[in-house]
Amino acid sequence: MSKKYTLAVVPETHWDREWYLTFEEFRIRLVRLTDKLLSILDADPEFKSFTFDGQTIVIEDYLEIRPQERERIRKHVQSGRLLIGPWYVLPDEFLVSGEALIRNLMLGHKIGEEFGRTMKSGYIPDPFGHISQLPQILAGFGISNVYFTRGLGDEADSMHSEFWWQTPDGTKVLAINQVNSYCNGVNIGVEYLPNKGKTVNFETALQQVKQQIESLSKKASTKYLLLNNGCDHVEPQPELPQIIKYLNEHLDDTEVIHSTYEEYADLVLKEKPTLKTYCGELHSGKYHPLLPGVFSTRIYLKQANERTQTLLEKWTEPACAFAWLNGATYDSQLIWQAWKYLIKCHPHDSICGCSIDQVHREMMPRFQQAQQIGETLAFESLQYLANKVDTTTKSIDKDTQAVVVFNPHAWEVTDTVTVRVEKELSPGEMAPSYVVKDETGKAVATHVTNDYILEISRRRAKWSADVHFTGENIPSLGYKTYYLQHGEATVDSPLEVGLGYLENDFLKVNVRSNGTFDLFHKQTRTTYHNLNLLEDTEDCGDEYNYGWAYNSRTVTSEGIGGTLSIIERGPGIGVLRCDFVMYLPESLTADRMSRAEKTVACPVIVYVKVHAGLPRVDIITVFENNARDHRLRAHFPTGFPADYCYAEGQFAVVQRPLDLPSGEGWVEKPVGQKPVQSYVAVDGTDCGIAVINQGLPEYEVIKGEQCVIAQTLLRCCGWLSRDDFQARPYNAGPTIPTPEAQCLGKHVFRYAVLPYQGNWKRSMVWQQAHQHNAPPRAVLTGIHKGELPHSLAFVRVSPSNLVVTAVKKAEKCDGLVVRVLNTTSDNVDATVTLCRKFKGAVLTNLNEEPLETKLVVNGNSVRFPMPAFRLQTIMFKF
């Protein structure tokens, strides 16, 4: 007779690679754990399987120390007894890009294949919430389920612990909530007795399991219940087969089985339960804390991560791929090495900034190594392409150089282009002046900055400078050739620059010496007042959560006197500089109840920049942080009320309500601070405003008669975890001082404000956001014949609501991979056009495995349907 419940016990460990100890300190424990695990698997056939936390990096880390055990591991992976993957590391999903998540899973599968098998369960137990597009990403790797702990809110009250999780494009996977955490069966029956040490009490195990059955059965949709036999850094229990046998002998209504996550999901589905469907992100803290302060902890990590991701996604991979299409070698192994360095920084204890200081010191070289590889490969590939361009033209002189300008975006770009020039000067020779011309010989807006002379010897000197010019209509994912010549030219420019104001065809900006400005948007005739006001408040929290003091005190830049000067006056860009000082409380008081009376000077420089041909205002804020225990934000009043904001996420634009849930009875109360990729927008009736950020992933929209977008710039605290503040009066980790999380010293923040007509979708806000973070790059080359024309789009896509998120060489064949995202809620037919003929084209999944979907091929183009927020990958074969 079948029993009422079946309890599936999955032995596992959750492996934080670095956290309250360094990587190497944890690796010692990893090596000992894995040695023990392999001995158990070798010696006991009744110990059926062990899951290594959904990661493969642990195998790499182990084999660096024990390379002789490779075949032993391979044997157990192939037999299904040791389950690894599908991830390379378990990432924080909100703080990394969508493409980084895909590369993470690609690496996990790549390594899994090397050992014979990749676990096909979306196991991601501990990250601090989950993005709305995770089901589509997992499904793109043939993974039909996801296991998670954190993220549910009030919606969980009406759902089972199993439900369908659906993405905006309609993709859905089976979601399994680890209701009692991923540690609900850790060390079953283990007791620590005086003078006896660690023992296993089978009766204690029985009572623990009974409690879990009673609790889990209240939420389960079927007779199958899940017990996770493991937790953080916990070794396998060799007694597990005997414990399971004892439980089966003593439980009347429950059968206990030794299982895996793959098997458990299959068992649930075989019961054909009636499940509810949930759509959207999982970012609520009713049952488990989300720790949202990590979005702004150690902001320098987030900035380094954004720089590296943008480099690899927008420049290194596409440039290497286009160079390969034109005869160069594509070094996939080097590119993957750069990705590995980067993704090793993506675990939730790493990129979140919630570890000890030494852990985060060791992260920065990894970012730098990824950048070194990425920059070298991108430069070589762009130079290779530039040298293949036919740069000959009629209007040249002997000193003319060609400038090939590359555009990394899937639309024609008009933007400011910068190229570095150098020239040796003879004694007494003046520094040269330059003008840039297009192919027709027409001069474009040009000016020179940052020039300096380096004296090499008494007879020679080297002059260097940045030449800026306006590049117009640079083709989609392609290039356009300009010409750099000695001389000067008067160019009509829409840009006006004066002391205190900047103006172009789109907007007029009135700037004050405290770095704030008023912005008049000409298209909607709307004025936005007092933008970029700096607000500083105490932070009595820790690396996990921002905390306000009982006696809170806020300091702003309102009314601060400073100096205002003109730095650049065009014709392509205008820049005003504001210098002032904020006097901030030096720290919290000793009792952490308020801010200290003593203040310290924090010098601030704000650069406000307007481009001749762009509808946004760029801001660079340089902040010298000499204070502790505080949070610095820039405020952007919208001038109108709103109920929602729209934040770019990973392959989605997330509509978030400004009214927060009450949070009654929640483990962690909801807060207004939310994650964002490159922009957040607020729509008014017929106008709107967006704040664009570069590596500043936390914002809040403060609701009121007029909404205020608050962009977090810096958050400074001194503890890994504390349990004595209002926002979270319990520990989320060990109480360890982290003085470097105070982020003392100089910081440079880059962000922008974009007013627009209509709504964010109609105004295609993403285009200016992505251009801000990845402006065009220029390569100097000579005047020469070449196989490529003066300008060219390597890849074009239509319609305009499509974004290309990846261009790379295929992993397993001589093909070009182009990934396209429908960034809006409109269903469309997509067209992707290459600059050259191809033999065939197929849609693939995210792991670049061909699908059966038919493509309509017409010449150099393919056409296929693109549902709202769908991500699709095309592989062109040559």
mmCIF file with all atom_site columns, all heavy atoms in Angstrom, residues 389-392 401-405 437-439 475 479-483 781 789-792:
data_model
loop_
_atom_site.group_PDB
_atom_site.id
_atom_site.type_symbol
_atom_site.label_atom_id
_atom_site.label_alt_id
_atom_site.label_comp_id
_atom_site.label_asym_id
_atom_site.label_entity_id
_atom_site.label_seq_id
_atom_site.pdbx_PDB_ins_code
_atom_site.Cartn_x
_atom_site.Cartn_y
_atom_site.Cartn_z
_atom_site.occupancy
_atom_site.B_iso_or_equiv
_atom_site.pdbx_formal_charge
_atom_site.auth_seq_id
_atom_site.auth_comp_id
_atom_site.auth_asym_id
_atom_site.auth_atom_id
_atom_site.pdbx_PDB_model_num
ATOM 1   N N   . VAL A 1 389 ? 39.760 48.700 -44.232 1.00 0.00 ? 389 VAL A N   1
ATOM 2   C CA  . VAL A 1 389 ? 38.835 49.666 -44.839 1.00 0.00 ? 389 VAL A CA  1
ATOM 3   C C   . VAL A 1 389 ? 39.550 50.429 -45.953 1.00 0.00 ? 389 VAL A C   1
ATOM 4   O O   . VAL A 1 389 ? 40.712 50.846 -45.797 1.00 0.00 ? 389 VAL A O   1
ATOM 5   C CB  . VAL A 1 389 ? 38.304 50.638 -43.771 1.00 0.00 ? 389 VAL A CB  1
ATOM 6   C CG1 . VAL A 1 389 ? 37.465 51.742 -44.405 1.00 0.00 ? 389 VAL A CG1 1
ATOM 7   C CG2 . VAL A 1 389 ? 37.488 49.888 -42.726 1.00 0.00 ? 389 VAL A CG2 1
ATOM 8   N N   . ASP A 1 390 ? 38.872 50.621 -47.068 1.00 0.00 ? 390 ASP A N   1
ATOM 9   C CA  . ASP A 1 390 ? 39.389 51.478 -48.146 1.00 0.00 ? 390 ASP A CA  1
ATOM 10  C C   . ASP A 1 390 ? 39.201 52.923 -47.705 1.00 0.00 ? 390 ASP A C   1
ATOM 11  O O   . ASP A 1 390 ? 38.099 53.474 -47.750 1.00 0.00 ? 390 ASP A O   1
ATOM 12  C CB  . ASP A 1 390 ? 38.616 51.209 -49.432 1.00 0.00 ? 390 ASP A CB  1
ATOM 13  C CG  . ASP A 1 390 ? 39.177 51.993 -50.624 1.00 0.00 ? 390 ASP A CG  1
ATOM 14  O OD1 . ASP A 1 390 ? 40.015 52.902 -50.397 1.00 0.00 ? 390 ASP A OD1 1
ATOM 15  O OD2 . ASP A 1 390 ? 38.776 51.710 -51.758 1.00 0.00 ? 390 ASP A OD2 1
ATOM 16  N N   . THR A 1 391 ? 40.284 53.545 -47.251 1.00 0.00 ? 391 THR A N   1
ATOM 17  C CA  . THR A 1 391 ? 40.191 54.900 -46.691 1.00 0.00 ? 391 THR A CA  1
ATOM 18  C C   . THR A 1 391 ? 40.576 55.979 -47.702 1.00 0.00 ? 391 THR A C   1
ATOM 19  O O   . THR A 1 391 ? 40.682 57.150 -47.339 1.00 0.00 ? 391 THR A O   1
ATOM 20  C CB  . THR A 1 391 ? 41.098 55.022 -45.445 1.00 0.00 ? 391 THR A CB  1
ATOM 21  O OG1 . THR A 1 391 ? 42.445 54.711 -45.819 1.00 0.00 ? 391 THR A OG1 1
ATOM 22  C CG2 . THR A 1 391 ? 40.643 54.075 -44.347 1.00 0.00 ? 391 THR A CG2 1
ATOM 23  N N   . THR A 1 392 ? 40.815 55.588 -48.945 1.00 0.00 ? 392 THR A N   1
ATOM 24  C CA  . THR A 1 392 ? 41.195 56.593 -49.944 1.00 0.00 ? 392 THR A CA  1
ATOM 25  C C   . THR A 1 392 ? 40.032 57.560 -50.180 1.00 0.00 ? 392 THR A C   1
ATOM 26  O O   . THR A 1 392 ? 38.872 57.188 -50.141 1.00 0.00 ? 392 THR A O   1
ATOM 27  C CB  . THR A 1 392 ? 41.573 55.926 -51.280 1.00 0.00 ? 392 THR A CB  1
ATOM 28  O OG1 . THR A 1 392 ? 40.471 55.156 -51.756 1.00 0.00 ? 392 THR A OG1 1
ATOM 29  C CG2 . THR A 1 392 ? 42.779 55.026 -51.108 1.00 0.00 ? 392 THR A CG2 1
ATOM 30  N N   . GLN A 1 401 ? 45.102 61.589 -41.688 1.00 0.00 ? 401 GLN A N   1
ATOM 31  C CA  . GLN A 1 401 ? 44.934 60.235 -41.171 1.00 0.00 ? 401 GLN A CA  1
ATOM 32  C C   . GLN A 1 401 ? 43.455 59.884 -41.200 1.00 0.00 ? 401 GLN A C   1
ATOM 33  O O   . GLN A 1 401 ? 42.599 60.746 -40.998 1.00 0.00 ? 401 GLN A O   1
ATOM 34  C CB  . GLN A 1 401 ? 45.434 60.121 -39.726 1.00 0.00 ? 401 GLN A CB  1
ATOM 35  C CG  . GLN A 1 401 ? 46.922 60.362 -39.564 1.00 0.00 ? 401 GLN A CG  1
ATOM 36  C CD  . GLN A 1 401 ? 47.333 60.189 -38.107 1.00 0.00 ? 401 GLN A CD  1
ATOM 37  O OE1 . GLN A 1 401 ? 47.493 59.084 -37.615 1.00 0.00 ? 401 GLN A OE1 1
ATOM 38  N NE2 . GLN A 1 401 ? 47.502 61.309 -37.426 1.00 0.00 ? 401 GLN A NE2 1
ATOM 39  N N   . ALA A 1 402 ? 43.170 58.635 -41.462 1.00 0.00 ? 402 ALA A N   1
ATOM 40  C CA  . ALA A 1 402 ? 41.783 58.187 -41.420 1.00 0.00 ? 402 ALA A CA  1
ATOM 41  C C   . ALA A 1 402 ? 41.419 57.794 -39.988 1.00 0.00 ? 402 ALA A C   1
ATOM 42  O O   . ALA A 1 402 ? 42.246 57.243 -39.245 1.00 0.00 ? 402 ALA A O   1
ATOM 43  C CB  . ALA A 1 402 ? 41.572 57.004 -42.350 1.00 0.00 ? 402 ALA A CB  1
ATOM 44  N N   . VAL A 1 403 ? 40.192 58.111 -39.596 1.00 0.00 ? 403 VAL A N   1
ATOM 45  C CA  . VAL A 1 403 ? 39.657 57.726 -38.292 1.00 0.00 ? 403 VAL A CA  1
ATOM 46  C C   . VAL A 1 403 ? 38.435 56.851 -38.553 1.00 0.00 ? 403 VAL A C   1
ATOM 47  O O   . VAL A 1 403 ? 37.431 57.336 -39.081 1.00 0.00 ? 403 VAL A O   1
ATOM 48  C CB  . VAL A 1 403 ? 39.253 58.950 -37.448 1.00 0.00 ? 403 VAL A CB  1
ATOM 49  C CG1 . VAL A 1 403 ? 38.794 58.492 -36.065 1.00 0.00 ? 403 VAL A CG1 1
ATOM 50  C CG2 . VAL A 1 403 ? 40.396 59.941 -37.341 1.00 0.00 ? 403 VAL A CG2 1
ATOM 51  N N   . VAL A 1 404 ? 38.540 55.580 -38.226 1.00 0.00 ? 404 VAL A N   1
ATOM 52  C CA  . VAL A 1 404 ? 37.415 54.664 -38.406 1.00 0.00 ? 404 VAL A CA  1
ATOM 53  C C   . VAL A 1 404 ? 36.667 54.583 -37.074 1.00 0.00 ? 404 VAL A C   1
ATOM 54  O O   . VAL A 1 404 ? 37.235 54.182 -36.053 1.00 0.00 ? 404 VAL A O   1
ATOM 55  C CB  . VAL A 1 404 ? 37.885 53.276 -38.857 1.00 0.00 ? 404 VAL A CB  1
ATOM 56  C CG1 . VAL A 1 404 ? 36.679 52.358 -39.081 1.00 0.00 ? 404 VAL A CG1 1
ATOM 57  C CG2 . VAL A 1 404 ? 38.714 53.386 -40.133 1.00 0.00 ? 404 VAL A CG2 1
ATOM 58  N N   . VAL A 1 405 ? 35.401 54.999 -37.105 1.00 0.00 ? 405 VAL A N   1
ATOM 59  C CA  . VAL A 1 405 ? 34.587 55.085 -35.889 1.00 0.00 ? 405 VAL A CA  1
ATOM 60  C C   . VAL A 1 405 ? 33.637 53.896 -35.852 1.00 0.00 ? 405 VAL A C   1
ATOM 61  O O   . VAL A 1 405 ? 32.859 53.685 -36.785 1.00 0.00 ? 405 VAL A O   1
ATOM 62  C CB  . VAL A 1 405 ? 33.804 56.408 -35.850 1.00 0.00 ? 405 VAL A CB  1
ATOM 63  C CG1 . VAL A 1 405 ? 32.963 56.484 -34.576 1.00 0.00 ? 405 VAL A CG1 1
ATOM 64  C CG2 . VAL A 1 405 ? 34.753 57.596 -35.935 1.00 0.00 ? 405 VAL A CG2 1
ATOM 65  N N   . LYS A 1 437 ? 37.037 65.799 -40.868 1.00 0.00 ? 437 LYS A N   1
ATOM 66  C CA  . LYS A 1 437 ? 36.116 65.938 -41.995 1.00 0.00 ? 437 LYS A CA  1
ATOM 67  C C   . LYS A 1 437 ? 35.487 64.590 -42.318 1.00 0.00 ? 437 LYS A C   1
ATOM 68  O O   . LYS A 1 437 ? 36.068 63.537 -42.054 1.00 0.00 ? 437 LYS A O   1
ATOM 69  C CB  . LYS A 1 437 ? 36.858 66.471 -43.218 1.00 0.00 ? 437 LYS A CB  1
ATOM 70  C CG  . LYS A 1 437 ? 37.430 67.876 -43.017 1.00 0.00 ? 437 LYS A CG  1
ATOM 71  C CD  . LYS A 1 437 ? 38.175 68.351 -44.255 1.00 0.00 ? 437 LYS A CD  1
ATOM 72  C CE  . LYS A 1 437 ? 38.748 69.757 -44.033 1.00 0.00 ? 437 LYS A CE  1
ATOM 73  N NZ  . LYS A 1 437 ? 39.499 70.231 -45.231 1.00 0.00 ? 437 LYS A NZ  1
ATOM 74  N N   . ASP A 1 438 ? 34.292 64.657 -42.914 1.00 0.00 ? 438 ASP A N   1
ATOM 75  C CA  . ASP A 1 438 ? 33.669 63.415 -43.364 1.00 0.00 ? 438 ASP A CA  1
ATOM 76  C C   . ASP A 1 438 ? 34.164 63.056 -44.759 1.00 0.00 ? 438 ASP A C   1
ATOM 77  O O   . ASP A 1 438 ? 35.052 63.728 -45.322 1.00 0.00 ? 438 ASP A O   1
ATOM 78  C CB  . ASP A 1 438 ? 32.142 63.514 -43.300 1.00 0.00 ? 438 ASP A CB  1
ATOM 79  C CG  . ASP A 1 438 ? 31.571 64.560 -44.250 1.00 0.00 ? 438 ASP A CG  1
ATOM 80  O OD1 . ASP A 1 438 ? 32.284 64.993 -45.178 1.00 0.00 ? 438 ASP A OD1 1
ATOM 81  O OD2 . ASP A 1 438 ? 30.395 64.933 -44.073 1.00 0.00 ? 438 ASP A OD2 1
ATOM 82  N N   . GLU A 1 439 ? 33.597 62.038 -45.358 1.00 0.00 ? 439 GLU A N   1
ATOM 83  C CA  . GLU A 1 439 ? 34.071 61.530 -46.642 1.00 0.00 ? 439 GLU A CA  1
ATOM 84  C C   . GLU A 1 439 ? 33.939 62.559 -47.771 1.00 0.00 ? 439 GLU A C   1
ATOM 85  O O   . GLU A 1 439 ? 34.724 62.562 -48.725 1.00 0.00 ? 439 GLU A O   1
ATOM 86  C CB  . GLU A 1 439 ? 33.300 60.255 -46.997 1.00 0.00 ? 439 GLU A CB  1
ATOM 87  C CG  . GLU A 1 439 ? 33.808 59.545 -48.236 1.00 0.00 ? 439 GLU A CG  1
ATOM 88  C CD  . GLU A 1 439 ? 32.954 58.340 -48.593 1.00 0.00 ? 439 GLU A CD  1
ATOM 89  O OE1 . GLU A 1 439 ? 32.066 57.989 -47.793 1.00 0.00 ? 439 GLU A OE1 1
ATOM 90  O OE2 . GLU A 1 439 ? 33.176 57.769 -49.671 1.00 0.00 ? 439 GLU A OE2 1
ATOM 91  N N   . PRO A 1 475 ? 26.764 53.694 -38.814 1.00 0.00 ? 475 PRO A N   1
ATOM 92  C CA  . PRO A 1 475 ? 25.875 52.560 -39.070 1.00 0.00 ? 475 PRO A CA  1
ATOM 93  C C   . PRO A 1 475 ? 25.772 51.582 -37.903 1.00 0.00 ? 475 PRO A C   1
ATOM 94  O O   . PRO A 1 475 ? 26.702 51.403 -37.114 1.00 0.00 ? 475 PRO A O   1
ATOM 95  C CB  . PRO A 1 475 ? 26.509 51.889 -40.300 1.00 0.00 ? 475 PRO A CB  1
ATOM 96  C CG  . PRO A 1 475 ? 27.252 52.973 -40.979 1.00 0.00 ? 475 PRO A CG  1
ATOM 97  C CD  . PRO A 1 475 ? 27.785 53.839 -39.871 1.00 0.00 ? 475 PRO A CD  1
ATOM 98  N N   . TYR A 1 479 ? 30.644 50.730 -38.791 1.00 0.00 ? 479 TYR A N   1
ATOM 99  C CA  . TYR A 1 479 ? 31.649 51.786 -38.679 1.00 0.00 ? 479 TYR A CA  1
ATOM 100 C C   . TYR A 1 479 ? 31.425 52.831 -39.762 1.00 0.00 ? 479 TYR A C   1
ATOM 101 O O   . TYR A 1 479 ? 30.688 52.630 -40.733 1.00 0.00 ? 479 TYR A O   1
ATOM 102 C CB  . TYR A 1 479 ? 33.059 51.200 -38.811 1.00 0.00 ? 479 TYR A CB  1
ATOM 103 C CG  . TYR A 1 479 ? 33.320 50.606 -40.176 1.00 0.00 ? 479 TYR A CG  1
ATOM 104 C CD1 . TYR A 1 479 ? 33.784 51.405 -41.232 1.00 0.00 ? 479 TYR A CD1 1
ATOM 105 C CD2 . TYR A 1 479 ? 33.088 49.265 -40.438 1.00 0.00 ? 479 TYR A CD2 1
ATOM 106 C CE1 . TYR A 1 479 ? 34.001 50.874 -42.499 1.00 0.00 ? 479 TYR A CE1 1
ATOM 107 C CE2 . TYR A 1 479 ? 33.300 48.719 -41.687 1.00 0.00 ? 479 TYR A CE2 1
ATOM 108 C CZ  . TYR A 1 479 ? 33.749 49.534 -42.719 1.00 0.00 ? 479 TYR A CZ  1
ATOM 109 O OH  . TYR A 1 479 ? 33.947 49.012 -43.965 1.00 0.00 ? 479 TYR A OH  1
ATOM 110 N N   . LYS A 1 480 ? 32.118 53.961 -39.573 1.00 0.00 ? 480 LYS A N   1
ATOM 111 C CA  . LYS A 1 480 ? 32.116 55.045 -40.560 1.00 0.00 ? 480 LYS A CA  1
ATOM 112 C C   . LYS A 1 480 ? 33.480 55.702 -40.515 1.00 0.00 ? 480 LYS A C   1
ATOM 113 O O   . LYS A 1 480 ? 34.080 55.845 -39.437 1.00 0.00 ? 480 LYS A O   1
ATOM 114 C CB  . LYS A 1 480 ? 31.023 56.064 -40.238 1.00 0.00 ? 480 LYS A CB  1
ATOM 115 C CG  . LYS A 1 480 ? 30.835 57.152 -41.281 1.00 0.00 ? 480 LYS A CG  1
ATOM 116 C CD  . LYS A 1 480 ? 29.630 58.022 -40.918 1.00 0.00 ? 480 LYS A CD  1
ATOM 117 C CE  . LYS A 1 480 ? 29.373 59.097 -41.957 1.00 0.00 ? 480 LYS A CE  1
ATOM 118 N NZ  . LYS A 1 480 ? 28.174 59.909 -41.613 1.00 0.00 ? 480 LYS A NZ  1
ATOM 119 N N   . THR A 1 481 ? 33.981 56.115 -41.675 1.00 0.00 ? 481 THR A N   1
ATOM 120 C CA  . THR A 1 481 ? 35.326 56.667 -41.766 1.00 0.00 ? 481 THR A CA  1
ATOM 121 C C   . THR A 1 481 ? 35.290 58.191 -41.812 1.00 0.00 ? 481 THR A C   1
ATOM 122 O O   . THR A 1 481 ? 34.507 58.779 -42.573 1.00 0.00 ? 481 THR A O   1
ATOM 123 C CB  . THR A 1 481 ? 36.053 56.134 -43.011 1.00 0.00 ? 481 THR A CB  1
ATOM 124 O OG1 . THR A 1 481 ? 36.019 54.702 -42.989 1.00 0.00 ? 481 THR A OG1 1
ATOM 125 C CG2 . THR A 1 481 ? 37.499 56.599 -43.040 1.00 0.00 ? 481 THR A CG2 1
ATOM 126 N N   . TYR A 1 482 ? 36.145 58.798 -40.991 1.00 0.00 ? 482 TYR A N   1
ATOM 127 C CA  . TYR A 1 482 ? 36.357 60.250 -40.995 1.00 0.00 ? 482 TYR A CA  1
ATOM 128 C C   . TYR A 1 482 ? 37.834 60.503 -41.251 1.00 0.00 ? 482 TYR A C   1
ATOM 129 O O   . TYR A 1 482 ? 38.659 59.575 -41.269 1.00 0.00 ? 482 TYR A O   1
ATOM 130 C CB  . TYR A 1 482 ? 35.922 60.865 -39.667 1.00 0.00 ? 482 TYR A CB  1
ATOM 131 C CG  . TYR A 1 482 ? 34.424 60.911 -39.481 1.00 0.00 ? 482 TYR A CG  1
ATOM 132 C CD1 . TYR A 1 482 ? 33.729 59.811 -38.982 1.00 0.00 ? 482 TYR A CD1 1
ATOM 133 C CD2 . TYR A 1 482 ? 33.694 62.040 -39.824 1.00 0.00 ? 482 TYR A CD2 1
ATOM 134 C CE1 . TYR A 1 482 ? 32.348 59.849 -38.821 1.00 0.00 ? 482 TYR A CE1 1
ATOM 135 C CE2 . TYR A 1 482 ? 32.314 62.097 -39.666 1.00 0.00 ? 482 TYR A CE2 1
ATOM 136 C CZ  . TYR A 1 482 ? 31.658 60.999 -39.170 1.00 0.00 ? 482 TYR A CZ  1
ATOM 137 O OH  . TYR A 1 482 ? 30.295 61.042 -39.026 1.00 0.00 ? 482 TYR A OH  1
ATOM 138 N N   . TYR A 1 483 ? 38.179 61.795 -41.405 1.00 0.00 ? 483 TYR A N   1
ATOM 139 C CA  . TYR A 1 483 ? 39.557 62.152 -41.763 1.00 0.00 ? 483 TYR A CA  1
ATOM 140 C C   . TYR A 1 483 ? 40.052 63.256 -40.844 1.00 0.00 ? 483 TYR A C   1
ATOM 141 O O   . TYR A 1 483 ? 39.391 64.287 -40.668 1.00 0.00 ? 483 TYR A O   1
ATOM 142 C CB  . TYR A 1 483 ? 39.622 62.570 -43.233 1.00 0.00 ? 483 TYR A CB  1
ATOM 143 C CG  . TYR A 1 483 ? 39.272 61.417 -44.137 1.00 0.00 ? 483 TYR A CG  1
ATOM 144 C CD1 . TYR A 1 483 ? 37.955 61.197 -44.532 1.00 0.00 ? 483 TYR A CD1 1
ATOM 145 C CD2 . TYR A 1 483 ? 40.240 60.492 -44.525 1.00 0.00 ? 483 TYR A CD2 1
ATOM 146 C CE1 . TYR A 1 483 ? 37.616 60.101 -45.304 1.00 0.00 ? 483 TYR A CE1 1
ATOM 147 C CE2 . TYR A 1 483 ? 39.909 59.395 -45.293 1.00 0.00 ? 483 TYR A CE2 1
ATOM 148 C CZ  . TYR A 1 483 ? 38.600 59.200 -45.687 1.00 0.00 ? 483 TYR A CZ  1
ATOM 149 O OH  . TYR A 1 483 ? 38.270 58.104 -46.443 1.00 0.00 ? 483 TYR A OH  1
ATOM 150 N N   . THR A 1 781 ? 44.063 55.120 -38.541 1.00 0.00 ? 781 THR A N   1
ATOM 151 C CA  . THR A 1 781 ? 44.735 54.281 -39.536 1.00 0.00 ? 781 THR A CA  1
ATOM 152 C C   . THR A 1 781 ? 45.208 55.177 -40.670 1.00 0.00 ? 781 THR A C   1
ATOM 153 O O   . THR A 1 781 ? 44.901 56.377 -40.706 1.00 0.00 ? 781 THR A O   1
ATOM 154 C CB  . THR A 1 781 ? 43.788 53.172 -40.044 1.00 0.00 ? 781 THR A CB  1
ATOM 155 O OG1 . THR A 1 781 ? 44.532 52.284 -40.878 1.00 0.00 ? 781 THR A OG1 1
ATOM 156 C CG2 . THR A 1 781 ? 42.618 53.737 -40.815 1.00 0.00 ? 781 THR A CG2 1
ATOM 157 N N   . PRO A 1 789 ? 34.270 48.918 -47.473 1.00 0.00 ? 789 PRO A N   1
ATOM 158 C CA  . PRO A 1 789 ? 33.929 50.272 -47.902 1.00 0.00 ? 789 PRO A CA  1
ATOM 159 C C   . PRO A 1 789 ? 34.151 51.300 -46.787 1.00 0.00 ? 789 PRO A C   1
ATOM 160 O O   . PRO A 1 789 ? 34.446 50.936 -45.640 1.00 0.00 ? 789 PRO A O   1
ATOM 161 C CB  . PRO A 1 789 ? 32.440 50.164 -48.254 1.00 0.00 ? 789 PRO A CB  1
ATOM 162 C CG  . PRO A 1 789 ? 31.955 49.036 -47.403 1.00 0.00 ? 789 PRO A CG  1
ATOM 163 C CD  . PRO A 1 789 ? 33.090 48.057 -47.319 1.00 0.00 ? 789 PRO A CD  1
ATOM 164 N N   . HIS A 1 790 ? 33.963 52.589 -47.139 1.00 0.00 ? 790 HIS A N   1
ATOM 165 C CA  . HIS A 1 790 ? 34.170 53.665 -46.159 1.00 0.00 ? 790 HIS A CA  1
ATOM 166 C C   . HIS A 1 790 ? 33.274 53.513 -44.931 1.00 0.00 ? 790 HIS A C   1
ATOM 167 O O   . HIS A 1 790 ? 33.673 53.863 -43.824 1.00 0.00 ? 790 HIS A O   1
ATOM 168 C CB  . HIS A 1 790 ? 33.905 55.032 -46.802 1.00 0.00 ? 790 HIS A CB  1
ATOM 169 C CG  . HIS A 1 790 ? 35.026 55.511 -47.661 1.00 0.00 ? 790 HIS A CG  1
ATOM 170 N ND1 . HIS A 1 790 ? 35.268 55.004 -48.924 1.00 0.00 ? 790 HIS A ND1 1
ATOM 171 C CD2 . HIS A 1 790 ? 35.975 56.460 -47.442 1.00 0.00 ? 790 HIS A CD2 1
ATOM 172 C CE1 . HIS A 1 790 ? 36.326 55.622 -49.446 1.00 0.00 ? 790 HIS A CE1 1
ATOM 173 N NE2 . HIS A 1 790 ? 36.771 56.510 -48.569 1.00 0.00 ? 790 HIS A NE2 1
ATOM 174 N N   . SER A 1 791 ? 32.064 53.057 -45.111 1.00 0.00 ? 791 SER A N   1
ATOM 175 C CA  . SER A 1 791 ? 31.156 52.829 -43.985 1.00 0.00 ? 791 SER A CA  1
ATOM 176 C C   . SER A 1 791 ? 30.377 51.556 -44.245 1.00 0.00 ? 791 SER A C   1
ATOM 177 O O   . SER A 1 791 ? 30.132 51.176 -45.398 1.00 0.00 ? 791 SER A O   1
ATOM 178 C CB  . SER A 1 791 ? 30.215 54.022 -43.787 1.00 0.00 ? 791 SER A CB  1
ATOM 179 O OG  . SER A 1 791 ? 29.346 54.150 -44.883 1.00 0.00 ? 791 SER A OG  1
ATOM 180 N N   . LEU A 1 792 ? 29.985 50.894 -43.152 1.00 0.00 ? 792 LEU A N   1
ATOM 181 C CA  . LEU A 1 792 ? 29.335 49.598 -43.304 1.00 0.00 ? 792 LEU A CA  1
ATOM 182 C C   . LEU A 1 792 ? 28.627 49.229 -42.006 1.00 0.00 ? 792 LEU A C   1
ATOM 183 O O   . LEU A 1 792 ? 29.152 49.471 -40.910 1.00 0.00 ? 792 LEU A O   1
ATOM 184 C CB  . LEU A 1 792 ? 30.384 48.526 -43.627 1.00 0.00 ? 792 LEU A CB  1
ATOM 185 C CG  . LEU A 1 792 ? 29.895 47.083 -43.793 1.00 0.00 ? 792 LEU A CG  1
ATOM 186 C CD1 . LEU A 1 792 ? 29.038 46.947 -45.054 1.00 0.00 ? 792 LEU A CD1 1
ATOM 187 C CD2 . LEU A 1 792 ? 31.076 46.120 -43.853 1.00 0.00 ? 792 LEU A CD2 1
#
